[in-house]
Amino acid sequence: MAPSRITPICLLVYLCFLGVFVKSVLSAKARHFKWEVDYMIGAPDCLEHVVMAINGQFPSPTIKARAGDTVVVHLTNKLHTEGVVIHWHGIRQLGTPWADGTASISQCAINPGETFVYRFKVDKAGTYFYHGHYGMQRSAGLYGLLIVDVEEGKKEPFQYDGEFNLLLSDWWHKGVHDQEVDLSSNPFRWIGEPESLLINGRGQYNCSLAAAHDSKASGCTFRGNEACAPNILHVKPNKTYRLRVASTTSLASLNLAIGNHKMLMVEADGNYLQPFSVNDFDIYSGETYSVLFRTDQRPTDNYWISVGVRGRQPRTPQGLAIVHYQTTTASKLPTLPPPQTPLWNDYARSKSFSNKIRALSGSPKPPINHHRRIFLLNTQNRINGYTKWAINNVSLSLPPTPYLGSIKHRLTNAFDQKSPPDTFLSTYDIMKPPPNPNSTYGSGVYMLKFNTTIDVILQNANALNPNVSEIHPWHLHGHDFWVLGYGEGMFSKRDEDKLNLKNPPLRNTVVIFPYGWTALRFVTDNPGVWAFHCHIEPHLHMGMGVVFAEGFILLGRYQTRLFLVA
């Protein structure tokens, strides 16, 4: 047979592709970080308190990288009496499930004095963050931003002149260990609403600054205590700025607004959106957004950024920051009051916003059909008198040995071998408290076939008390999913036609509204064991979550499992 010949055109095309590939490989970097986790004394809201910190910083250091880079974090646990892990929220961990940072799921907790090395690729540009995923350490302040820029030579589908980052959180004066004991007590003790809302780790407790517009107001002098003074964003007139916003709140759903400035929504959870304009927007725990705003207001004034509570009766004052036009002095307080947060239970407004979120044209579309559909019913229950949350009447109880190691090494006695239920009784009345409030603990896993399409229908219901149904933001590890739609009441066959298969947004976190349902679709293309749970810290602590495992095969009569990834 004569040897094949390469034409000059084919050679030119090949060399061009080779050049692009080589440039991409050479521009990618390994970014190394050496971190120590410890407690420190801080004053996030002007009141001294113990906070968790990395390298003495609260919030913890911001990671900046480019798409395609490898992030390497040498994490040393300097805590004296407890373990620690870090979850890289929104990073899909393609091929690196052991780096997901979930205690009892992907790894053992890092013991005091030990060092663990996280190594993973950030494959997609976007706004992300990281946080503790052991116990309720996120509530103690263990969190920071992770910003991934586009690859060298590539551009975003929008333009801007500068950017700012806002990390939103809520803060309690009761220590996190006391909170854990309260939630696990019989009788049950609720942790209450947060004392303050923090923007980039700063809030103001018992301070009338926003209402009085008076720097001499009681409790509002920050001399010598800049750690709790409002953040100031320094801007120039007639410019366009990107505002990256991430919510790592433990409980609060929030609404953000910039006084007198409209915003253009352009990114959510690392995925581009069909842009749309808003005066304010809701953001739930675990979500991230990028918005663009134009500095087109009077340049002799400054303006409030306000963050207020949604979905719960607010007993927490707004969090505040300031947009400072550099044509005036930074110490000048805004003349207008902070934007007013919408009514906490105006769910029609919240649903309207969520339904406007659509994927940018050209984004990946979901498969038309699903291979398996799992219905997950959120209920509040009791187990031996203790108040818990349950999914399909099973309250998640994580095992001592991480699932990832158990399944890989075929330890069949490490967790419940019976799969949790795929659905619940169709006769269940979601509008009333459960007729039988008793539930059970479980550590079973949903075993998902590799490279199949999975639908999840999140179904909300009434809690233990009558006329109570709460907002729950759900986060999936290891994947993005398409949000196919939201609806009222119980999901049924007639709701199939409401599902959006044309331009649904890709997200990693999504809200389920009171007495409603949310439909998701994802593809099991990432071998590993992945948590899927409510991102409200007390709810996860009380059992509101499930575990998905994919990329395993069954062997032999005992159904032992073998991990597909080396």
Side-chain angles (χ1 to χ4, degrees):
M1 177 181 287
S4 60
R5 299 180 61 187
I6 301 177
T7 66
I9 293 178
C10 289
L11 181 61
L12 181 61
V13 171
Y14 170 76
L15 290 174
C16 286
F17 276 111
L18 181 63
V20 171
F21 173 76
V22 170
K23 183 178 179 181
S24 176
V25 171
L26 291 177
S27 62
K29 297 179 180 178
R31 301 184 184 268
H32 292 264
F33 302 89
K34 191 173 183 179
W35 285 358
E36 294 183 346
V37 179
D38 206 347
Y39 285 110
M40 60 177 273
I41 299 296
D45 62 357
C46 305
L47 192 71
E48 274 199 351
H49 205 280
V50 173
V51 300
M52 291 193 81
I54 292 177
N55 294 350
Q57 295 183 44
F58 169 77
S60 298
T62 297
I63 289 179
K64 290 212 71 175
R66 287 190 178 274
D69 287 352
T70 297
V71 172
V72 185
V73 178
H74 298 254
L75 188 78
T76 300
N77 182 2
K78 290 289 187 178
L79 306 172
H80 294 292
T81 59
E82 59 190 294
V84 71
V85 296
I86 299 288
H87 168 56
W88 315 95
H89 187 107
I91 304 303
R92 293 181 292 177
Q93 302 295 349
L94 297 171
T96 53
W98 44 82
D100 191 47
T102 45
S104 293
I105 298 176
S106 64
Q107 70 172 107
C108 295
I110 306 164
N111 289 323
E114 291 183 346
T115 298
F116 183 86
V117 180
Y118 291 99
R119 183 186 298 269
F120 55 90
K121 180 177 284 189
V122 288
D123 65 300
K124 188 171 59 171
T127 305
Y128 308 101
F129 63 100
Y130 61 88
H131 59 81
H133 214 293
Y134 179 65
M136 289 176 55
Q137 291 178 342
R138 176 158 54 96
S139 296
L142 186 53
Y143 44 74
L145 283 164
L146 199 170
I147 306 300
V148 182
D149 290 319
V150 294
E151 296 170 86
E152 195 114 26
K154 290 190 176 181
K155 293 183 178 180
E156 306 269 15
F158 43 81
Q159 294 183 334
Y160 51 95
D161 301 302
E163 71 176 54
F164 300 98
N165 304 325
L166 295 184
L167 181 60
L168 312 180
S169 53
D170 40 13
W171 190 249
W172 283 259
H173 294 160
K174 177 176 280 192
V176 66
H177 298 126
D178 290 341
Q179 292 184 40
E180 290 176 346
V181 172
D182 283 348
L183 294 169
S184 302
S185 294
N186 186 5
F188 176 69
R189 298 182 180 185
W190 177 238
I191 61 172
E193 302 303 309
E195 269 77 24
S196 53
L197 301 177
L198 309 183
I199 300 179
N200 291 343
R202 297 183 179 193
Q204 298 78 46
Y205 172 66
N206 195 23
C207 171
S208 56
L209 176 64
H213 298 154
D214 181 1
S215 60
K216 297 179 182 179
S218 174
C220 296
T221 55
F222 303 110
R223 291 188 183 91
N225 197 5
E226 285 296 317
C228 63
N231 280 265
I232 300 177
L233 281 55
H234 304 284
V235 301
K236 295 179 180 179
N238 300 313
K239 300 289 184 181
T240 298
Y241 290 91
R242 178 181 189 170
L243 189 63
R244 297 180 183 264
V245 186
S247 176
T248 185
T249 56
S250 295
L251 175 65
S253 302
L254 301 174
N255 179 272
L256 183 144
I258 307 174
N260 270 29
H261 291 73
K262 285 187 173 294
M263 295 172 284
L264 192 68
M265 312 294 299
V266 293
E267 178 227 341
D269 296 354
N271 297 286
Y272 297 126
L273 302 179
Q274 191 65 41
F276 64 99
S277 179
V278 296
N279 293 317
D280 58 77
F281 65 91
D282 290 340
I283 180 168
Y284 303 97
S285 177
E287 291 187 328
T288 68
Y289 288 106
S290 282
V291 300
L292 304 181
F293 71 96
R294 182 81 178 165
T295 51
D296 54 4
Q297 297 302 300
R298 189 163 57 190
T300 54
D301 283 340
N302 295 325
Y303 301 86
W304 290 112
I305 297 176
S306 69
V307 174
V309 172
R310 298 276 275 131
R312 302 182 66 86
Q313 194 156 4
R315 295 183 177 89
T316 309
Q318 288 179 315
L320 298 170
I322 294 173
V323 173
H324 162 231
Y325 278 65
Q326 291 178 317
T327 43
T328 188
T329 176
S331 60
K332 179 182 177 182
L333 286 176
T335 55
L336 296 173
Q340 189 170 355
T341 303
L343 192 64
W344 70 274
N345 58 355
D346 185 354
Y347 294 118
R349 180 187 180 111
S350 300
K351 293 171 187 177
S352 174
F353 169 73
S354 293
N355 281 305
K356 290 177 183 176
I357 299 173
R358 293 287 185 262
L360 184 66
S361 178
S363 299
K365 292 185 178 182
I368 297 300
N369 298 308
H370 62 275
H371 297 99
R372 182 178 176 183
R373 177 169 282 173
I374 301 172
F375 294 84
L376 300 179
L377 175 69
N378 292 334
T379 56
Q380 194 177 43
N381 299 79
R382 290 195 179 95
I383 302 178
N384 299 324
Y386 294 89
T387 302
K388 298 292 178 182
W389 288 95
I391 303 301
N392 294 351
N393 209 40
V394 178
S395 184
L396 181 63
S397 178
L398 295 173
T401 304
Y403 292 104
L404 190 60
S406 298
I407 298 176
K408 180 176 175 63
H409 296 291
R410 312 175 196 177
L411 306 179
T412 57
N413 61 346
F415 60 91
D416 295 344
Q417 293 299 292
K418 184 180 178 181
S419 179
D422 272 26
T423 188
F424 55 93
L425 290 175
S426 60
T427 56
Y428 189 94
D429 188 348
I430 65 167
M431 305 304 293
K432 296 179 180 178
N436 178 4
N438 295 317
S439 181
T440 58
Y441 294 112
S443 61
V445 177
Y446 288 93
M447 299 298 296
L448 309 179
K449 290 184 179 179
F450 186 61
N451 208 24
T452 59
T453 300
I454 307 296
D455 276 11
V456 176
I457 309 297
L458 289 167
Q459 180 66 64
N460 214 343
N462 201 99
L464 284 171
N465 294 324
N467 304 313
V468 175
S469 185
E470 300 186 18
I471 275 180
H472 301 291
W474 275 72
H475 170 59
L476 177 60
H477 294 226
H479 303 79
D480 284 345
F481 50 72
W482 290 276
V483 183
L484 302 186
Y486 308 86
E488 310 287 335
M490 182 84 84
F491 183 87
S492 66
K493 289 282 187 182
R494 65 179 180 271
D495 293 314
E496 295 280 354
D497 294 336
K498 299 178 183 178
L499 301 183
N500 174 18
L501 300 178
K502 181 182 177 182
N503 57 356
L506 271 169
R507 306 294 301 265
N508 62 59
T509 305
V510 70
V511 64
I512 175 173
F513 292 106
Y515 301 110
W517 56 263
T518 300
L520 320 175
R521 180 167 293 178
F522 70 98
V523 177
T524 56
D525 56 1
N526 190 13
V529 184
W530 308 109
F532 182 43
H533 61 89
C534 180
H535 209 259
I536 291 176
E537 194 83 305
H539 291 181
L540 175 59
H541 182 76
M542 296 164 65
M544 189 183 287
V546 297
V547 178
F548 294 143
E550 66 192 68
F552 300 85
I553 56 176
L554 303 181
L555 294 175
R557 59 183 293 191
Y558 298 108
Q559 296 193 350
T560 54
R561 300 173 178 91
L562 178 67
F563 197 33
L564 290 179
V565 173

